[in-house]
Coordinates of all heavy atoms in Angstrom, one line a residue:
L14 N 12.0 6.9 20.2 CA 10.6 6.8 19.9 C 10.2 7.8 18.9 O 9.4 7.5 18.0 CB 9.8 7.0 21.2 CG 8.3 6.6 21.2 CD1 8.1 5.2 20.6 CD2 7.7 6.8 22.5
A15 N 10.7 9.0 19.0 CA 10.4 10.1 18.0 C 10.9 9.6 16.6 O 10.1 9.8 15.6 CB 11.1 11.4 18.3
V17 N 11.2 6.5 15.4 CA 10.3 5.5 14.9 C 9.0 6.0 14.5 O 8.5 5.7 13.4 CB 10.2 4.4 16.0 CG1 9.0 3.4 15.7 CG2 11.5 3.6 16.3
L18 N 8.4 6.9 15.3 CA 7.1 7.5 14.9 C 7.2 8.4 13.7 O 6.4 8.3 12.8 CB 6.6 8.3 16.1 CG 6.2 7.5 17.3 CD1 5.9 8.4 18.5 CD2 5.0 6.6 17.0
L19 N 8.2 9.2 13.6 CA 8.4 10.1 12.5 C 8.7 9.4 11.2 O 8.1 9.7 10.1 CB 9.4 11.2 12.7 CG 9.1 12.2 13.8 CD1 10.3 13.1 14.2 CD2 7.9 13.1 13.3
L20 N 9.5 8.3 11.3 CA 9.8 7.5 10.1 C 8.5 6.7 9.6 O 8.3 6.6 8.5 CB 11.0 6.6 10.3 CG 12.3 7.3 10.4 CD1 13.4 6.3 10.9 CD2 12.7 7.9 9.1
G21 N 7.8 6.3 10.6 CA 6.5 5.5 10.3 C 5.5 6.5 9.7 O 4.9 6.1 8.7
A22 N 5.4 7.7 10.2 CA 4.5 8.6 9.6 C 4.9 9.0 8.2 O 4.1 9.1 7.2 CB 4.3 9.9 10.5
L23 N 6.2 9.2 8.0 CA 6.7 9.6 6.7 C 6.4 8.5 5.7 O 6.0 8.7 4.5 CB 8.2 9.9 6.8 CG 8.9 10.3 5.5 CD1 8.4 11.6 4.9 CD2 10.4 10.4 5.7
D24 N 6.7 7.2 6.1 CA 6.4 6.1 5.2 C 5.0 6.0 4.8 O 4.6 5.7 3.6 CB 6.9 4.8 5.8 CG 7.0 3.7 4.8 OD1 7.9 3.8 3.9 OD2 6.2 2.8 4.8
K25 N 4.1 6.2 5.7 CA 2.6 6.2 5.4 C 2.2 7.3 4.5 O 1.4 7.2 3.6 CB 1.8 6.2 6.7 CG 2.0 4.9 7.6 CD 1.3 5.1 8.9 CE 1.5 3.9 9.8 NZ 2.8 3.9 10.4
L26 N 2.8 8.5 4.7 CA 2.5 9.7 3.9 C 2.9 9.5 2.5 O 2.3 10.0 1.6 CB 3.2 10.9 4.5 CG 2.5 11.6 5.7 CD1 3.4 12.7 6.3 CD2 1.2 12.1 5.3
F32 N -2.2 3.1 2.8 CA -2.5 3.1 4.2 C -4.0 3.2 4.5 O -4.5 2.5 5.4 CB -1.7 4.2 5.0 CG -2.0 4.2 6.4 CD1 -1.6 3.1 7.2 CD2 -2.6 5.3 7.1 CE1 -1.8 3.1 8.6 CE2 -2.8 5.3 8.4 CZ -2.4 4.2 9.2
A51 N -7.3 7.6 8.6 CA -5.9 7.3 8.2 C -5.1 8.6 8.3 O -4.0 8.7 8.8 CB -5.8 6.8 6.8
W52 N -5.7 9.7 7.8 CA -5.0 11.0 7.9 C -4.8 11.5 9.3 O -3.7 11.9 9.7 CB -5.7 12.1 7.1 CG -5.3 12.1 5.6 CD1 -6.1 11.5 4.6 CD2 -4.1 12.6 5.1 NE1 -5.4 11.7 3.4 CE2 -4.2 12.3 3.7 CE3 -3.0 13.2 5.6 CZ2 -3.2 12.7 2.8 CZ3 -2.0 13.6 4.7 CH2 -2.1 13.3 3.3
G53 N -5.9 11.3 10.1 CA -5.8 11.7 11.5 C -4.7 10.9 12.3 O -4.0 11.4 13.1
Y54 N -4.7 9.6 12.0 CA -3.7 8.7 12.6 C -2.3 9.1 12.3 O -1.4 9.2 13.1 CB -3.9 7.2 12.2 CG -3.0 6.3 12.9 CD1 -3.3 5.7 14.1 CD2 -1.8 5.9 12.3 CE1 -2.5 4.9 14.8 CE2 -0.9 5.1 13.0 CZ -1.3 4.5 14.2 OH -0.4 3.7 14.8
V55 N -2.0 9.3 11.0 CA -0.7 9.7 10.5 C -0.3 11.1 11.1 O 0.9 11.2 11.6 CB -0.6 9.7 9.0 CG1 0.7 10.4 8.5 CG2 -0.7 8.3 8.5
L56 N -1.2 12.0 11.2 CA -0.9 13.3 11.8 C -0.6 13.2 13.3 O 0.3 13.8 13.8 CB -2.0 14.3 11.5 CG -2.2 14.7 10.0 CD1 -3.4 15.6 9.8 CD2 -0.9 15.4 9.5
A57 N -1.4 12.3 14.0 CA -1.1 12.1 15.4 C 0.2 11.4 15.6 O 1.0 11.8 16.6 CB -2.2 11.3 16.0
E58 N 0.6 10.5 14.7 CA 1.9 9.8 14.8 C 3.0 10.8 14.6 O 4.0 10.8 15.4 CB 1.9 8.7 13.8 CG 3.1 7.8 13.8 CD 3.0 6.7 12.8 OE1 2.4 6.9 11.7 OE2 3.6 5.6 13.1
A59 N 2.9 11.7 13.6 CA 3.9 12.7 13.4 C 4.0 13.7 14.5 O 5.1 14.1 15.0 CB 3.7 13.4 12.1
L60 N 2.8 14.1 15.0 CA 2.8 15.1 16.1 C 3.4 14.5 17.4 O 4.2 15.2 18.1 CB 1.4 15.6 16.4 CG 1.2 16.5 17.6 CD1 2.0 17.8 17.3 CD2 -0.3 16.8 17.8
A61 N 3.2 13.2 17.7 CA 3.8 12.6 18.8 C 5.3 12.6 18.7 O 6.0 12.9 19.7 CB 3.2 11.2 19.0
G62 N 5.8 12.3 17.5 CA 7.2 12.3 17.3 C 7.8 13.7 17.5 O 8.9 13.8 18.1
A63 N 7.1 14.7 16.9 CA 7.6 16.0 17.1 C 7.6 16.5 18.5 O 8.6 17.1 19.0 CB 6.8 17.0 16.2
L64 N 6.6 16.2 19.3 CA 6.5 16.6 20.7 C 7.6 15.9 21.5 O 8.1 16.5 22.5 CB 5.1 16.3 21.2 CG 4.0 17.1 20.7 CD1 2.6 16.6 21.2 CD2 4.2 18.6 21.2
L65 N 7.9 14.7 21.2 CA 9.0 13.9 21.9 C 10.3 14.6 21.7 O 11.2 14.5 22.6 CB 9.1 12.5 21.4 CG 8.0 11.6 22.0 CD1 7.9 10.3 21.2 CD2 8.2 11.3 23.5
G74 N 4.1 14.2 24.3 CA 4.4 13.4 23.2 C 4.4 11.9 23.5 O 3.9 11.1 22.7
L77 N 0.7 10.9 23.7 CA 0.1 10.7 22.3 C 0.7 9.5 21.7 O 0.0 8.8 20.9 CB 0.4 12.0 21.5 CG -0.3 12.1 20.1 CD1 -1.8 11.9 20.2 CD2 0.0 13.4 19.5
A78 N 2.0 9.2 21.9 CA 2.6 8.0 21.3 C 1.9 6.8 21.8 O 1.6 5.8 21.1 CB 4.1 8.0 21.6
V81 N -1.4 6.4 20.0 CA -1.2 5.9 18.7 C -0.9 4.4 18.7 O -1.4 3.6 17.9 CB -0.1 6.7 18.0 CG1 0.4 6.0 16.7 CG2 -0.6 8.1 17.7
L82 N 0.0 4.0 19.6 CA 0.4 2.6 19.7 C -0.8 1.7 20.1 O -1.0 0.6 19.7 CB 1.6 2.4 20.6 CG 2.9 2.9 20.0 CD1 4.0 3.0 21.1 CD2 3.4 2.0 18.9
A85 N -3.2 1.2 17.2 CA -2.6 0.2 16.2 C -2.7 -1.2 16.8 O -3.1 -2.1 16.1 CB -1.2 0.6 15.8
G103 N -0.4 -2.3 7.7 CA -0.4 -0.8 7.6 C 0.7 -0.2 8.4 O 0.8 1.0 8.5
C104 N 1.7 -1.0 8.8 CA 2.8 -0.5 9.6 C 3.7 0.4 8.8 O 4.3 1.3 9.3 CB 3.6 -1.7 10.2 SG 2.7 -2.9 11.1
G105 N 3.8 0.1 7.5 CA 4.7 0.8 6.7 C 6.1 0.2 6.8 O 6.4 -0.7 7.5
L130 N 7.7 -1.3 22.3 CA 7.8 0.0 21.8 C 7.2 1.0 22.8 O 7.7 2.1 23.1 CB 7.3 0.2 20.4 CG 7.6 1.4 19.6 CD1 9.1 1.7 19.5 CD2 6.9 1.4 18.3
Y167 N 14.8 -1.7 16.8 CA 13.4 -1.7 16.4 C 13.3 -2.2 14.9 O 12.5 -3.1 14.6 CB 12.8 -0.3 16.5 CG 11.4 -0.2 15.9 CD1 10.3 -0.7 16.5 CD2 11.3 0.3 14.6 CE1 9.1 -0.7 16.0 CE2 10.0 0.4 14.0 CZ 8.9 -0.1 14.7 OH 7.7 0.0 14.1

Side-chain angles (χ1 to χ4, degrees):
L14 190 54
V17 169
L18 292 171
L19 290 170
L20 290 171
L23 180 64
D24 194 68
K25 291 173 185 75
L26 283 170
F32 181 61
W52 275 102
Y54 183 89
V55 170
L56 292 175
E58 188 175 28
L60 179 60
L64 289 172
L65 283 164
L77 186 54
V81 165
L82 288 166
C104 306
L130 191 58
Y167 171 79

